[in-house]
Amino acid sequence: MHCLDLFFRASGLKVNLHKSKAQYSKRVSERRKEVLSGVSNIRFYNDLGKYLGINIGHARTSRKTAQEVIEKISRKLSSWKGCLLNKFLWKGQATGKGLPLVRWEVAITPKRAGGLGIRDTSCANMALLGKLVWDCLNNSEKLWVQVLKHKYFKNQSGMNENSRNFSSATWKNIVSAYEHLKEGLH
């Protein structure tokens, strides 16, 4: 409650405890649950439900979990899709099937070099992951870097040694980017 009070004083925003929900971690004892419920006046649930149409549960989000959101977005974009980019690259078929009118290499080539200037998403993703790799290696004062190092660097010195099966998808992607980019990191 002290932390919530500090938040209120710092931001000017007040937390509505009647609308608030909280969830316990698996390892919290029954006694501690009772104490936290009594002190905070916040209701605790096993499932937090949805916020802005997205499940905000404690479990790791998978493709299956996100499928509902993907379908919702697809429905909203279906009318747009058939008219714009699809028509240009795929002969106007809303399903995205058909013979491509332009090779992907031409589509991602910059306009000044005779291409269409469409951003190559795999390169953009690698660049963004490269920024995370750089932070992991050089910005240990950042909280998220400290958390990842505490979780994955225990008794180990390098990123490439940490691609364990139980690692998060985010960490696996950071390690994969490190493997691709390590020769060019200076």
Side-chain angles (χ1 to χ4, degrees):
M1 295 309 293
H2 177 69
C3 288
L4 291 176
D5 185 53
L6 285 174
F7 171 77
F8 167 68
R9 284 191 272 142
S11 67
L13 302 173
K14 189 166 183 176
V15 175
N16 185 336
L17 298 177
H18 298 292
K19 291 183 178 180
S20 297
K21 292 182 179 181
Q23 185 176 22
Y24 295 109
S25 143
K26 292 177 186 177
R27 296 182 184 159
V28 175
S29 69
E30 289 299 321
R31 175 71 182 130
R32 182 159 293 198
K33 289 178 186 179
E34 291 171 13
V35 170
L36 289 172
S37 295
V39 169
S40 68
N41 294 323
I42 297 175
R43 293 172 293 194
F44 287 82
Y45 296 90
N46 290 332
D47 181 16
L48 294 178
K50 292 184 177 186
Y51 180 73
L52 299 177
I54 298 174
N55 286 328
I56 53 173
H58 214 56
R60 180 184 297 184
T61 303
S62 64
R63 279 185 193 246
K64 186 177 180 182
T65 308
Q67 191 60 38
E68 185 179 310
V69 175
I70 293 169
E71 288 172 3
K72 189 184 241 183
I73 291 170
S74 294
R75 283 192 302 271
K76 295 240 185 217
L77 293 178
S78 64
S79 61
W80 174 87
K81 222 165 98 177
C83 298
L84 300 173
L85 188 60
N86 244 359
K87 208 165 217 175
F88 186 68
L89 295 176
W90 299 107
K91 290 189 171 181
Q93 296 186 18
T95 60
K97 295 180 180 176
L99 297 174
L101 299 175
V102 179
R103 287 190 341 264
W104 182 244
E105 293 78 23
V106 173
I108 61 173
T109 300
K111 287 181 182 179
R112 60 178 151 57
L116 300 177
I118 295 174
R119 188 176 201 178
D120 185 353
T121 54
S122 62
C123 287
N125 186 49
M126 186 60 67
L128 293 171
L129 286 169
K131 184 177 185 316
L132 298 179
V133 169
W134 183 263
D135 280 348
C136 283
L137 297 173
N138 297 296
N139 294 320
S140 59
E141 74 281 354
K142 292 187 176 184
L143 180 60
W144 71 268
V145 173
Q146 293 172 14
V147 170
L148 288 180
K149 282 189 174 184
H150 178 73
K151 184 170 183 177
Y152 296 115
F153 283 178
K154 289 182 181 175
N155 302 323
Q156 297 181 355
S157 59
M159 293 176 111
N160 54 351
E161 300 170 9
N162 294 296
S163 56
R164 294 177 264 176
N165 289 336
F166 57 86
S167 297
S168 70
T170 302
W171 180 249
K172 287 178 184 176
N173 286 329
I174 290 172
V175 171
S176 175
Y178 172 74
E179 291 300 320
H180 282 67
L181 302 170
K182 65 183 174 185
E183 289 180 29
L185 291 174
H186 297 287

